[in-house]
């Protein structure tokens, strides 16, 4: 159990979009437009769709380089 996920806060500080489970505390949201919560028990397709939306939010920006470095 991580009380306050610092990696999520760091991602927001860098302007990176993130997809996290609904089990993550909402206290970790600094920039609501960058975070999307998905139910833990969601179907894989729902997770994929959420990740696709997150990638689109950073595509074409300087953040795109960071996103690709982490997720590709």
């Amino acid at each position: 159990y991580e009380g306050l996920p610092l990696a999520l806060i760091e991602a927001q500080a860098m302007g990176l979009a993130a997809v996290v489970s609904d089990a993550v505390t909402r206290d970790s949201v600094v920039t609501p437009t960058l975070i999307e919560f998905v139910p833990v028990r969601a179907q894989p397709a729902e997770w994929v769709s959420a990740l696709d939306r997150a990638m689109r939010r950073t595509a074409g920006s300087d953040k795109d380089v960071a996103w690709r470095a982490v997720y590709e």
Side-chain angles (χ1 to χ4, degrees):
Y1 171 77
E2 185 175 7
L4 185 63
L6 294 180
L8 184 55
I9 292 173
E10 291 169 349
Q12 292 170 87
M14 292 295 299
L16 293 173
V19 177
V20 297
S21 81
D22 60 355
V24 173
T25 179
R26 300 298 201 266
D27 292 339
S28 60
V29 177
V30 177
T31 310
T33 57
L34 293 176
I35 306 300
E36 183 171 348
F37 289 91
V38 177
V40 171
R41 298 185 191 276
Q43 294 295 314
E46 190 172 342
W47 281 94
V48 169
S49 293
L51 288 167
D52 186 54
R53 287 189 296 275
M55 289 177 66
R56 288 185 198 164
R57 286 194 296 269
T58 58
S61 70
D62 292 339
K63 308 307 181 231
D64 185 48
V65 174
W67 177 273
R68 291 182 188 285
V70 173
Y71 294 104
E72 287 188 350

